[in-house]
Amino acid sequence: NAATTLRESISNRLKLKKTKIENLQALNDITFSINQGDIVGITGANGAGKSTLLKVLSKITFPSAGEVEIMGRCASLLEIGTGFHPELTGRENVFFNGSLLGLKREEVADRFDDIVAFAEIDEFIDVPVKRYSSGMYVRLAFAIAAHLKVELLIIDEVLAVGDDKFQSKCKSKIRELAQQGAAVLIVSHNLTMLEHFVSRLMIMDHGCIVFDGLPSDAVHYYRNQP
């Protein structure tokens, strides 16, 4: 009887926990738009819903309500290794990612040398990416996204993995992409970088956007929250 009672108690607790997880609302009543040429930042505490939002925008996760409308191609740099097949070489993954974006093989081939040169991993391009370091992953992933002519580039903190020189190189490329008409969305906890790099900064809290405006104003708001 005691064992039965214990099993029932554990079962009830597991059901309660499962119910709470299933009812968790990661995003709530979010509405915003990004125009061509915008470099927009998103920040907020851990668990605020930032990564979930990017996954929804990237169509990795589908919303239970509402809709996302993106005009043109979208490339996402989320978790390290996302979009790469570990058994394929760097070269093969370049063409694999190009096909995912709807590009013809000839279009990718035209940009291949520029991608490899930007990533600075030419001696490893024919090595399976499962042997790449996290920094090499990011270098190649960013180089692919930046050279395959997308209309929206989404970046989630992964650039922090790269060294200072490569981060500076990426920022210059992002500005160039924006000048060419691409929109860029960056999630980061680096407030100093966001304040001086993006043209607009959104702050998320408990699944909501609680501030959307000039970076300097947003940083002041975030740092002075209770």
Side-chain angles (χ1 to χ4, degrees):
N1 289 340
T4 301
T5 301
L6 178 60
R7 281 197 297 271
E8 290 177 350
S9 176
I10 293 174
S11 177
N12 289 335
R13 289 179 183 178
L14 289 175
K15 288 179 180 178
L16 180 60
K17 288 182 178 179
K18 184 177 180 181
T19 300
K20 287 182 178 179
I21 292 173
E22 288 177 346
N23 290 335
L24 177 64
Q25 193 168 28
L27 301 173
N28 183 26
D29 194 26
I30 288 180
T31 301
F32 67 91
S33 62
I34 300 176
N35 299 318
Q36 288 181 297
D38 286 349
I39 302 177
V40 179
I42 300 179
T43 194
N46 291 329
K50 304 182 301 297
S51 294
T52 301
L53 174 59
L54 296 197
K55 288 178 180 178
V56 170
L57 295 174
S58 304
K59 298 183 179 179
I60 295 173
T61 300
F62 291 92
S64 55
E67 60 182 18
V68 175
E69 184 177 359
I70 296 176
M71 305 298 290
R73 297 189 182 110
C74 172
S76 302
L77 302 179
L78 304 181
E79 298 172 359
I80 293 174
T82 301
F84 280 9
H85 192 298
E87 300 297 332
L88 298 181
T89 66
R91 182 186 303 273
E92 290 166 334
N93 269 293
V94 171
F95 287 93
F96 176 63
N97 273 262
S99 66
L100 292 179
L101 289 171
L103 294 171
K104 295 180 180 178
R105 186 175 181 84
E106 294 75 17
E107 293 179 282
V108 180
D110 288 341
R111 303 178 177 100
F112 182 80
D113 289 343
D114 291 336
I115 291 171
V116 176
F118 189 94
E120 299 176 359
I121 59 165
D122 49 307
E123 59 185 306
F124 302 104
I125 197 63
D126 290 309
V127 174
V129 297
K130 66 181 180 181
R131 297 194 173 93
Y132 282 16
S133 67
S134 58
M136 291 167 66
Y137 259 116
V138 170
R139 283 174 175 269
L140 185 57
F142 183 87
I144 292 171
H147 288 83
L148 292 186
K149 305 300 181 184
V150 297
E151 281 68 41
L152 174 62
L153 177 60
I154 298 174
I155 305 172
D156 187 3
E157 204 66 82
V158 293
L159 292 184
V161 176
D163 55 49
D164 289 342
K165 181 180 177 182
F166 188 71
Q167 286 185 38
S168 178
K169 189 177 180 179
C170 290
K171 290 176 185 177
S172 295
K173 189 62 179 180
I174 288 172
R175 290 192 181 98
E176 180 184 325
L177 292 173
Q179 289 171 357
Q180 294 171 355
V184 183
L185 188 61
I186 303 174
V187 162
S188 178
H189 290 103
N190 187 337
L191 296 180
T192 301
M193 182 276 289
L194 290 173
E195 184 174 7
H196 295 94
F197 183 64
V198 303
S199 55
R200 171 181 158 205
L201 182 56
M202 295 186 285
I203 297 174
M204 292 191 66
D205 185 35
H206 291 88
C208 300
I209 295 176
V210 295
F211 190 97
D212 183 354
L214 293 174
S216 56
D217 294 339
V219 170
H220 181 268
Y221 174 91
Y222 185 64
R223 286 175 171 162
N224 288 278
Q225 287 186 105

